[in-house]
């Protein structure tokens, strides 16, 4: 007996209140943008600049021990990670400690660095400090700009891909859904003031890919059913398509969330922000595939018969069947 989270033959009406769902999504996006412009993001060291200290020791790196030794210094955001460096051989114990830029300074002062080294030396007597590097606000600003460009290019590539694969109405629905997911993710980070660093940018790009995959599965079934049920209203065809793919959508989302919740609980502080972004992204991505992308498609209308050319709907690639 196969496990099913959703029974095989469902008949939910997802579009009886589609305007309400779009209104809720629009309101959530407005709240997210207002929070972003009023509060901003709680940028991490990657975007604010700071000082990086690389250490080496004979004993294995204990991130918890390092963090406990540095907490008493009250230096704000401190990131501690164990890294692999081939220059140190197979028995390496190398750690990377990143300290946020102090107020009014581009990096940690010499006194602060000495305090960090003293605290770590007391906790780990054989520790060595192999390098100290600073990242100024100019480099951090370039990272922010590069991150924004990466997200925009990803969404732009999705627009072109969906346009070529389906119709421009499908492409617009998919892109609006992706923008919805990214804006809400940035909004929740702004509202809760969770640390926002390069790992979160990676999460945003992953969310774009996950949400797109879910949307394309639904749109593929919509296109098949538009050819199969040429006389049915578009809303009914969309309902049939979403119900037919609902079991797959729920199963994929739930199994992904199970893994993410385990990582959130057991993965430690280093990846917690990334995992939180992924959990939120899977939830809003699943929601947007059903209630945003498909609702936009219903609003715009779509070509019903691909066997007949038309100059009012679709685009010049309408007859290409991917």
């Amino acid at each position: 007996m196969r496990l099913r989270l959703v029974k095989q033959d469902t008949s939910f009406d997802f579009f009886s209140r589609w305007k309400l769902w779009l209104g809720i999504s629009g309101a959530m996006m407005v709240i997210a943008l207002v929070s972003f412009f009023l509060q901003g993001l709680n940028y991490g060291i990657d975007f604010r600049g700071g000082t990086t200290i690389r250490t080496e020791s004979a004993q294995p790196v204990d991130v918890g021990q390092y963090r406990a030794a540095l907490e008493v210094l009250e230096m704000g955001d401190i990131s501690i990670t164990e890294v692999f460096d081939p220059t140190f051989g197979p028995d390496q114990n190398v750690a990377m400690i990143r300290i946020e830029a102090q107020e009014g300074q581009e990096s940690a002062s010499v006194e602060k660095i000495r305090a960090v080294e003293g605290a770590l030396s007391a906790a780990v007597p054989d520790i060595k400090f192999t390098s100290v590097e600073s990242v100024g606000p100019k480099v951090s600003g370039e990272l922010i700009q590069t991150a924004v460009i990466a997200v925009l290019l990803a969404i732009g590539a999705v627009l072109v891909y969906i346009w070529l694969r389906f119709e421009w109405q499908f492409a617009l629905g998919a892109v609006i859904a992706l923008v919805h997911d990214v804006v809400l993710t940035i909004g929740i980070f702004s509202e809760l003031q969770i640390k926002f660093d390069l790992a979160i940018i990676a999460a945003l790009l992953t969310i774009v890919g996950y949400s797109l995959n879910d949307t394309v599965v639904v749109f593929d079934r919509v296109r098949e059913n538009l050819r199969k049920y040429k006389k049915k209203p578009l809303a009914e065809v969309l309902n049939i398509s979403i119900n037919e793919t609902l079991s797959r959508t729920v199963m994929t989302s739930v199994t992904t969330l199970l893994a993410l919740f385990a990582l959130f609980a057991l993965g430690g502080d280093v990846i917690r922000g990334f995992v939180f972004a992924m959990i939120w992204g899977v939830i809003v991505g699943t929601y947007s595939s059903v209630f945003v992308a498909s609702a936009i498609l219903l609003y715009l209308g779509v070509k019903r018969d691909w066997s007949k050319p038309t100059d009012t709907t679709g685009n010049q690639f309408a007859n290409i069947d991917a």
Side-chain angles (χ1 to χ4, degrees):
M1 181 178 179
R2 292 186 297 175
L3 173 65
R4 288 188 180 275
L5 299 179
V6 178
K7 63 180 183 179
Q8 187 170 8
D9 299 319
T10 58
S11 56
F12 299 115
D13 187 357
F14 294 98
F15 297 99
S16 59
R17 298 182 178 179
W18 65 275
K19 293 181 180 179
L20 174 63
W21 296 120
L22 283 183
I24 292 173
S25 295
M28 291 173 65
M29 291 178 68
V30 170
I31 293 172
L33 291 172
V34 169
S35 176
F36 173 75
F37 286 113
L38 291 182
Q39 292 192 114
L41 293 169
N42 182 16
Y43 290 113
I45 297 173
D46 295 327
F47 295 132
R48 272 202 306 235
T51 300
T52 299
I53 302 174
R54 185 182 290 259
T55 69
E56 177 192 0
S57 62
Q59 64 186 56
V61 174
D62 186 339
V63 174
Q65 181 184 19
Y66 284 32
R67 191 178 300 281
L70 298 178
E71 279 181 352
V72 297
L73 300 179
E74 298 181 351
M75 297 181 63
D77 185 22
I78 297 179
S79 172
I80 305 170
T81 53
E82 185 176 5
V83 298
F84 174 78
D85 191 333
T87 61
F88 287 94
D91 298 325
Q92 59 182 300
N93 297 296
V94 181
M96 184 80 74
I97 302 164
R98 295 186 295 177
I99 308 168
E100 70 176 2
Q102 306 301 296
E103 188 174 354
Q105 301 177 2
E106 292 190 359
S107 60
S109 63
V110 176
E111 292 77 12
K112 293 289 186 181
I113 295 174
R114 294 289 179 265
V116 170
E117 292 177 349
L120 290 176
S121 296
V124 186
D126 67 342
I127 195 169
K128 298 178 182 178
F129 303 96
T130 57
S131 67
V132 178
E133 300 174 349
S134 294
V135 177
K138 181 178 179 181
V139 174
S140 300
E142 292 175 352
L143 284 175
I144 295 175
Q145 182 180 7
T146 303
V148 171
I149 292 173
V151 174
L152 292 178
L153 286 177
I155 294 177
V158 167
L159 175 64
V160 174
Y161 167 74
I162 301 293
W163 196 327
L164 295 177
R165 182 175 174 84
F166 297 98
E167 300 272 327
W168 68 266
Q169 295 96 329
F170 288 89
L172 193 57
V175 167
I176 291 176
L178 294 183
V179 172
H180 166 274
D181 299 343
V182 171
V183 169
L184 290 192
T185 303
I186 292 175
I188 197 70
F189 271 80
S190 173
E191 187 65 32
L192 300 180
Q193 288 295 289
I194 301 172
K195 200 71 66 180
F196 193 91
D197 52 25
L198 284 177
I200 309 307
I201 298 299
L204 287 176
L205 294 173
T206 307
I207 290 167
V208 167
Y210 182 93
S211 180
L212 174 64
N213 176 69
D214 208 17
T215 302
V216 167
V217 169
V218 174
F219 280 179
D220 259 330
R221 187 59 58 90
V222 170
R223 184 171 60 173
E224 291 174 8
N225 286 333
L226 283 173
R227 291 168 170 166
K228 184 177 180 181
Y229 305 109
K230 295 181 180 180
K231 301 299 182 181
K232 289 184 181 292
L234 179 58
E236 188 174 347
V237 174
L238 289 171
N239 266 323
I240 292 171
S241 303
I242 295 173
N243 277 287
E244 288 177 350
T245 58
L246 188 61
S247 178
R248 177 262 177 206
T249 298
V250 172
M251 182 64 78
T252 302
S253 298
V254 169
T255 52
T256 304
L257 287 173
L258 287 175
L260 290 173
F261 280 128
L263 282 174
F264 187 81
L266 305 174
D269 293 335
V270 175
I271 63 170
R272 189 155 288 153
F274 172 84
V275 176
F276 175 81
M278 286 299 303
I279 291 172
W280 176 260
V282 168
I283 294 171
V284 298
T286 303
Y287 164 83
S288 68
S289 297
V290 175
F291 293 103
V292 177
S294 298
I296 294 295
L297 187 61
L298 176 62
Y299 175 77
L300 294 174
V302 68
K303 186 176 180 179
R304 302 302 302 273
D305 187 356
W306 276 264
S307 64
K308 298 177 181 179
T310 178
D311 55 1
T312 59
T313 307
N315 56 69
Q316 66 269 35
F317 300 102
N319 291 320
I320 296 179
D321 186 8

